[in-house]
Amino acid sequence: MSQTSKRTTRNWKTYLLMIVIFAIGLLVGKMNIDGSATIVGDANRYQKSAALESTADNNVSFGSVATIKRRPFNGQVHTVNDGESIQAAVNQAKAGDMVKVMPGVYKETVYIDKDDITLTGVIVKGEWPVLDGEKKLNDAILYSGNNFTVENFKITHYKGNGVMGQAGNNFIIRNNMIIDTGVYGIFPEFGKNGIVEYNVLTGIEDAAIYVGMCDNIHVAHNQVFGNVAGIEIENSRHAIVENNFAHNNTGGILVFITPGLPIKTTYDVIIRDNFVIDNNHENFGAPGSIVAGIPKGTGILIMAGDEVTLQNNVITGNNNAGIIITDHGHAANLTLDPEAEPNSDKIAILDNVMYNNGNEPVNEVKALMLTKLSNRGPDIIRVGESKESCILNREKYLTFGIDEFGTCAFDSTYGTKTYLLEKPVEPRKITAEERGKLAYYGICAGCHAYNVKMVGPPTQVIQALYMENPQGIVDYITNPVKKRDDYPEMPPQNYLSEEVRIAAAKYMLDVKK
Amino acid sequence: MNTRRYIDSFLVLSIIVFSHALSADSNLPIQFKTIPATQNSQDDSAFTLSVNCPPGFENIEQKCHLRSLYQQYDSLYDKGVGGLKTALPTVRDGFSPQQIDLGRLLFFDPLLSGDNTLSCASCHEPDKGFSDGLPRSIGANQVDVGRASPTLWNVAFLSNFFWDSRAHSLEEQMLGPLYSEKEMATTPVQLINELNNNKTYQRLFRQAFPNGQSAKITLQQIYTSITAFEASLISLNSRYDHYAHGYHQALTENEIEGLNIFRSFVARCAECHTPPLFTNQQIAVLGSPEPPGRELDIGAEKTFNNPDLRAGFKVPSLRNIVKTAPYMHSGRFENLRDTVEFYTKGRGHAVPEGEKLLLHWHIWEPDLTERELDRLVDFLGTLTDESFTPKIPQKVPSGLPVNVGQNITKKIKKYTSVRGEKP
């Protein structure tokens, strides 16, 4: 993939490189490295279950549905009809509530900065609720709350993202149609334990489904086509990408470490049972974006990701290469990050179906394949270091650079059904007293010291005044009035929740120094 | 990078060792560039160190531990980056109240500069967001130091320091300004001798470091105290924070619109200025312009010896950002409106001809409208909280004048006359 985007500016270099690589290739060919006799990888990398061995039925994951448990619904339902504002309903909603959106066209950005909200579209006789950004609005749905569900929306013509999350855990994003929305279709970031399933996405100029800096993720049963990248797992761990249909993107499925991000690893990723077909779309990525460097015709691209296992995918008709395994050094538009390990290590290519790939390889790939005396692009190509990687049934494929891969010690990932957590991620456990302490020191102490006068009267004085009456403090700080000539009037602390206010008041009455 | 860290820590270490050698023999000749402070020979009992932690900290056995509502939350891998209810990066705390208070006196004391005219507070003024209001700071002998003074708010959460990310602790960082000839222009020898010749400081250091091995003040103790004070500058109770903790009325409609633009993937501000600190502490190559007539600053290229990072700078926190104009590493933009506009004027539009910079992938062409730029500025205004601003001491143990905020008019005049340029 690497040199492609530099092709125009570095033509002569490319040709030089081709010659050098050709020479090296011949040399390597003669050395005849063959790792097939070496067994590589921990045979117990994936769970084994007794049931697997007994019934053939369990031996496939197709149709299996991973779930995140939600609490039984006993919230309120807020219904939004065509012509009304979804955001207004979200603002009304409390944790645990559901916002139901009836068919209609909604032209707004909906943001959800609270926990436990379900945003659900109602589809009536094939009519969907449509979020339409009219090429003017930035994002359709932004969320930061935990336990967020969004489903059954058609989202189109936004400039930024369809659905974007920052730091919400236990998210479910399912059954949405996201069409021509700009940069990313579905983009959860900094989240733990999330599902992206049954979505259809097309016309996205970067990754249609982009999982960035997340953990414990399940991406399944989505259809992505006509995008620059279909599905991208980036700087994330413990992810399964299964049963998706990625076709006619520039690149089908990507597993990346992108340098320069605060979380710097990608590992433990399973890509299985996907159809990765004819990903030959012209690259229409924004100049300078990392995906702008992806050569069209790329089925699966692994860059710097570790412990990535590919099993039972159907990878066909990708005109450059079926699978590319590379490192940061060979990638375009990238700055090396000294804190990010640049190689793709411990890659395992188990049994997959691959044919008819490499009909029109890009020049760099073509040059490499010439060393193998082939005019076609490969099913599998590896450039850059890849330690402890392995493959099964290597003789089935046209390959480059994987001769030294060992033979995998395991042949299935199906024992590992999901990396979703058994119990949803809970908020940090914190007692009311601790919360009171955080508020007291984090806020009250700005004006009240224990026994000296600061902006407000000392805590000791307040203790004498409100002995055993924390509610009195709460009432006062919620709606303060000027009491003392020698002190400024206190600003209201009503931005703190009732719970925090009472906890802070109790702590203030108890504090001893 | 690791090698670099080792080299850096070796440097720090050798200076510390050096200082111990010095304190054993204080008869070494000292050259003062100017007359030393007058009141340094007698212990001034008016100076006492606080036994209380500054606001924001809980005192547990005479160690100050930060308390913040953000400690209700988690963050992935404790990186302190994420969304609204996300924990902060690991904090530097646990200093004693006395160390923090001593650090405050040192911070405002011009004794720490070679010619006894500049203190840390000369370029980090409390009422200017702990910056100095200048495009680039003015150091000793009215020299333009080349880069803008960064805010000190919330440095307790940072792991990289300087615009070019070349230091990895506050102790390591302060060696730069203290000993740079362009900045405070003192030397380890001068610093340690001046403090050791001051009876008041001798007493205060003994109080702050009761278990000190040496009877003399050591450089390490100086660094620790200043670090302790800097790490106490906490700003986490802005209106934005009220919103983040769940009080959505804290922001106006315009400001919420600004927040949504800020985190949208069109403007992409939050991708690098990630909450809750509003920085992800990475290096980014923006291709932002230098002030007229100034050459391109190569920034982190030098630190990492990596041409890919040419003109790359550390992503700064945006907390209290309205207080720290002008903006960018060399103060190119006078106000926030111009600064946010930079990001929508075209990818690489300000890269000098002939320069090839590997611009960050989030630098693109978001085509923000005038209205959106205004709303971004509105939102940035919600990140202000100075409720924990420390007291400026009226006098310091050296007896030298505490000139915070007074030098500045002089400096600006100097600036205009020397540079022929409006700051």
Side-chain angles (χ1 to χ4, degrees):
Chain A
M1 72 163 263
S2 49
Q3 295 89 356
T4 313
S5 69
K6 298 175 185 168
R7 206 169 15 178
T8 44
T9 52
R10 295 196 183 162
N11 253 334
W12 64 274
K13 274 193 184 169
T14 308
Y15 290 123
L16 192 67
L17 191 72
M18 283 164 65
I19 294 161
V20 172
I21 287 171
F22 188 78
I24 293 170
L26 282 180
L27 205 65
V28 171
K30 285 209 176 93
M31 281 161 69
N32 211 10
I33 297 164
D34 180 4
S36 61
T38 317
I39 304 299
V40 169
D42 179 356
N44 298 318
R45 187 186 285 187
Y46 299 100
Q47 292 167 23
K48 290 191 166 54
S49 90
L52 276 187
E53 281 143 32
S54 56
T55 65
D57 206 30
N58 274 337
N59 206 8
V60 287
S61 69
F62 189 84
S64 69
V65 179
T67 55
I68 292 174
K69 285 189 192 108
R70 290 279 194 249
R71 267 168 249 164
F73 181 78
N74 54 8
Q76 240 190 303
V77 175
H78 307 259
T79 304
V80 184
N81 292 299
D82 195 7
E84 296 172 350
S85 155
I86 302 173
Q87 186 63 44
V90 169
N91 291 347
Q92 292 298 313
K94 294 191 176 60
D97 285 0
M98 173 185 285
V99 174
K100 258 189 179 173
V101 183
M102 302 308 288
V105 180
Y106 302 86
K107 298 172 179 176
E108 57 181 314
T109 293
V110 181
Y111 57 95
I112 300 99
D113 291 325
K114 36 184 123 174
D115 292 342
D116 301 294
I117 300 291
T118 297
L119 187 57
T120 187
V122 180
I123 304 165
V124 181
K125 294 182 184 169
E127 291 297 314
W128 289 54
V130 179
L131 280 162
D132 186 350
E134 300 181 287
K135 299 267 180 196
K136 284 186 222 153
L137 294 172
N138 290 333
D139 305 285
I141 293 167
L142 296 166
Y143 71 89
S144 72
N146 295 315
N147 311 324
F148 175 62
T149 301
V150 54
E151 59 192 3
N152 310 338
F153 284 91
K154 181 177 167 189
I155 298 173
T156 191
H157 293 159
Y158 284 81
K159 286 161 66 187
N161 297 336
V163 179
M164 177 182 186
Q166 271 191 309
N169 296 325
N170 314 315
F171 56 85
I172 300 174
I173 302 168
R174 66 183 165 209
N175 199 36
N176 301 291
M177 284 196 282
I178 302 185
I179 301 159
D180 189 14
T181 59
V183 188
Y184 299 118
I186 293 172
F187 176 25
E189 191 180 36
F190 299 116
K192 197 172 169 76
N193 204 40
I195 296 183
V196 180
E197 62 181 5
Y198 299 106
N199 301 286
V200 180
L201 302 100
T202 187
I204 315 288
E205 71 173 41
D206 202 301
I209 296 174
Y210 171 28
V211 175
M213 293 187 270
C214 289
D215 281 72
N216 304 95
I217 300 297
H218 204 86
V219 179
H221 310 291
N222 301 285
Q223 185 180 175
V224 288
F225 61 99
N227 311 292
V228 174
I231 298 170
E232 178 174 353
I233 304 295
E234 182 198 79
N235 297 36
S236 296
R237 293 136 302 276
H238 316 302
I240 293 182
V241 178
E242 65 178 8
N243 299 324
N244 300 286
F245 183 18
H247 60 103
N248 196 29
N249 306 288
T250 305
I253 298 177
L254 320 180
V255 182
F256 276 13
I257 292 176
T258 294
L261 295 174
I263 295 176
K264 300 188 183 288
T265 56
T266 293
Y267 57 84
D268 197 13
V269 179
I270 297 173
I271 312 279
R272 66 185 175 202
D273 301 326
N274 300 286
F275 286 90
V276 184
I277 313 287
D278 299 339
N279 288 288
N280 301 317
H281 201 290
E282 282 299 329
N283 191 325
F284 56 103
S289 68
I290 292 168
V291 294
I294 298 174
K296 70 171 177 175
T298 299
I300 294 178
L301 174 56
I302 302 169
M303 178 182 74
D306 298 329
E307 289 175 43
V308 183
T309 299
L310 282 62
Q311 180 189 6
N312 203 30
N313 299 289
V314 177
I315 305 169
T316 69
N318 303 292
N319 282 342
N320 184 40
I323 300 170
I324 301 179
I325 300 164
T326 187
D327 60 8
H328 285 157
H330 288 80
N333 299 343
L334 279 190
T335 303
L336 289 182
D337 182 339
E339 293 175 67
E341 206 282 320
N343 303 320
S344 300
D345 297 323
K346 298 190 179 174
I347 307 302
I349 302 174
L350 308 182
D351 203 26
N352 290 278
V353 176
M354 287 186 249
Y355 62 87
N356 194 31
N357 295 305
N359 289 321
E360 289 173 61
V362 299
N363 285 342
E364 293 82 352
V365 171
K366 197 183 280 176
L368 291 172
M369 293 313 291
L370 280 173
T371 68
K372 291 268 184 176
L373 306 177
S374 167
N375 285 321
R376 295 177 61 84
D379 292 313
I380 308 169
I381 181 168
R382 188 270 305 174
V383 285
E385 199 169 339
S386 178
K387 290 185 287 290
E388 294 180 60
S389 293
C390 66
I391 182 168
L392 295 178
N393 308 329
R394 70 187 71 204
E395 64 285 351
K396 284 168 54 176
Y397 319 115
L398 176 60
T399 67
F400 179 89
I402 64 156
D403 294 351
E404 62 203 64
F405 278 26
T407 296
C408 301
F410 48 93
D411 62 3
S412 175
T413 62
Y414 289 138
T416 300
K417 292 272 184 205
T418 179
Y419 285 125
L420 294 172
L421 301 172
E422 262 178 50
K423 286 183 184 165
V425 185
E426 291 288 334
R428 177 175 286 190
K429 290 263 185 299
I430 178 164
T431 63
E433 192 203 346
E434 283 170 323
R435 191 166 279 140
K437 181 198 274 192
L438 298 181
Y440 173 75
Y441 286 109
I443 295 166
C444 312
C447 297
H448 304 280
Y450 184 67
N451 51 11
V452 289
K453 177 180 169 176
M454 285 174 73
V455 182
T459 298
Q460 266 183 329
V461 172
I462 296 165
Q463 287 179 342
L465 206 61
Y466 287 96
M467 207 186 300
E468 295 183 21
N469 181 18
Q471 188 58 43
I473 296 184
V474 172
D475 294 343
Y476 180 74
I477 67 174
T478 306
N479 204 354
V481 287
K482 182 150 174 82
K483 274 192 169 179
R484 296 157 192 265
D485 288 340
D486 49 343
Y487 289 98
E489 186 177 322
M490 181 176 176
Q493 305 299 310
N494 53 352
Y495 57 88
L496 296 169
S497 69
E498 183 78 22
E499 185 200 0
V500 173
R501 266 175 279 167
I502 189 80
K506 282 181 181 168
Y507 190 85
M508 190 169 205
L509 292 178
D510 281 350
V511 70
K512 301 252 161 20
K513 58 183 177 185
Chain B
M1 176 105 167
N2 271 337
T3 326
R4 221 201 121 70
R5 268 192 203 172
Y6 288 131
I7 293 171
D8 287 338
S9 41
F10 178 72
L11 277 176
V12 177
L13 207 64
S14 46
I15 291 169
I16 294 163
V17 171
F18 184 50
S19 76
H20 278 288
L22 278 175
S23 51
D25 178 10
S26 56
N27 292 327
L28 285 171
I30 310 148
Q31 280 197 322
F32 292 118
K33 289 176 195 158
T34 54
I35 306 153
T38 48
Q39 296 175 19
N40 64 358
S41 52
Q42 288 191 332
D43 186 356
D44 182 347
S45 62
F47 288 100
T48 55
L49 297 181
S50 174
V51 294
N52 298 317
C53 294
F57 291 83
E58 181 184 7
N59 187 334
I60 303 175
E61 292 172 358
Q62 288 302 298
K63 299 272 185 245
C64 302
H65 295 275
L66 181 74
R67 299 290 173 246
S68 155
L69 284 175
Y70 281 102
Q71 290 165 349
Q72 300 174 89
Y73 314 129
D74 288 312
S75 81
L76 271 189
Y77 299 91
D78 299 323
K79 292 284 184 186
V81 280
L84 303 181
K85 291 185 177 176
T86 295
L88 290 151
T90 312
V91 67
R92 187 83 197 276
D93 64 359
F95 298 99
S96 73
Q98 293 85 353
Q99 288 167 351
I100 295 171
D101 206 28
L102 174 58
R104 185 175 65 98
L105 295 174
L106 292 167
F107 186 86
F108 288 97
D109 198 333
L111 191 66
L112 272 69
S113 59
D115 66 0
N116 291 346
T117 63
L118 296 170
S119 70
C120 307
S122 301
C123 298
H124 300 286
E125 298 177 38
D127 65 348
K128 294 199 163 58
F130 283 94
S131 178
D132 61 5
L134 297 174
R136 294 166 305 284
S137 294
I138 302 294
N141 306 314
Q142 309 297 324
V143 175
D144 176 343
V145 307
R147 287 185 188 148
S149 164
T151 179
L152 300 183
W153 283 114
N154 297 324
V155 287
F157 301 103
L158 299 184
S159 47
N160 305 307
F161 301 88
F162 291 119
W163 279 104
D164 57 9
S165 229
R166 68 183 186 274
H168 302 286
S169 69
L170 285 164
E171 288 91 333
E172 187 190 345
Q173 182 278 330
M174 72 180 75
L175 304 181
L178 280 171
Y179 305 132
S180 161
E181 285 182 14
K182 284 181 166 181
E183 300 189 41
M184 294 170 81
T186 188
T187 64
V189 181
Q190 181 184 341
L191 179 61
I192 202 148
N193 281 298
E194 288 195 336
L195 286 173
N196 270 310
N197 287 341
N198 182 299
K199 290 266 176 6
T200 310
Y201 272 125
Q202 280 184 25
R203 175 173 56 86
L204 297 179
F205 271 87
R206 275 198 302 277
Q207 275 178 31
F209 299 95
N211 305 320
Q213 302 283 308
S214 154
K216 300 276 182 185
I217 298 166
T218 66
L219 282 173
Q220 189 56 56
Q221 289 169 349
I222 301 168
Y223 303 151
T224 301
S225 298
I226 297 173
T227 297
F229 172 68
E230 291 176 326
S232 75
L233 303 172
I234 302 294
S235 168
L236 295 170
N237 195 22
S238 64
R239 287 193 296 117
Y240 161 79
D241 296 299
H242 300 170
Y243 181 94
H245 295 311
Y247 182 69
H248 290 181
Q249 298 93 309
L251 303 187
T252 66
E253 270 183 34
N254 277 350
E255 288 162 347
I256 292 175
E257 193 182 335
L259 164 63
N260 287 335
I261 297 162
F262 185 87
R263 59 182 161 172
S264 84
F265 217 78
V266 177
R268 303 188 187 184
C269 315
E271 292 303 302
C272 293
H273 296 284
T274 316
L277 209 53
F278 291 86
T279 170
N280 66 2
Q281 301 198 53
Q282 305 295 308
I283 307 261
V285 183
L286 305 185
S288 74
E290 300 290 350
R294 285 187 68 85
E295 272 182 26
L296 181 84
D297 184 338
I298 65 166
E301 176 182 11
K302 187 174 170 199
T303 308
F304 298 92
N305 189 25
N306 181 351
D308 287 353
L309 294 174
R310 187 172 179 77
F313 295 95
K314 188 186 74 176
V315 175
S317 169
L318 300 181
R319 286 185 173 270
N320 285 327
I321 191 71
V322 295
K323 298 286 174 175
T324 60
Y327 300 104
M328 300 294 195
H329 63 276
S330 50
R332 174 63 173 78
F333 298 118
E334 282 181 35
N335 56 56
L336 284 172
R337 185 60 163 67
D338 292 349
T339 314
V340 295
E341 191 189 22
F342 159 78
Y343 293 90
T344 195
K345 284 175 82 174
R347 181 180 158 85
H349 71 273
V351 176
E353 226 171 286
E355 278 288 349
K356 274 193 186 145
L357 301 183
L358 193 48
L359 296 175
H360 196 281
W361 64 94
H362 286 318
I363 296 295
W364 72 315
E365 316 219 336
D367 293 328
L368 299 175
T369 63
E370 296 294 313
R371 179 187 166 79
E372 286 178 312
L373 295 175
D374 290 340
R375 294 297 80 79
L376 279 174
V377 175
D378 291 343
F379 172 66
L380 293 172
T382 71
L383 296 172
T384 307
D385 164 38
E386 300 180 297
S387 55
F388 290 176
T389 303
K391 273 204 178 117
I392 300 173
Q394 302 210 318
K395 55 178 192 166
V396 286
S398 68
L400 293 165
V402 181
N403 281 332
V404 181
Q406 293 172 20
N407 276 340
I408 205 72
T409 11
K410 269 191 279 173
K411 282 197 286 185
I412 289 177
K413 272 187 197 151
K414 192 79 194 173
Y415 216 94
T416 322
S417 61
V418 172
R419 297 266 141 213
E421 168 195 335
K422 264 201 345 200

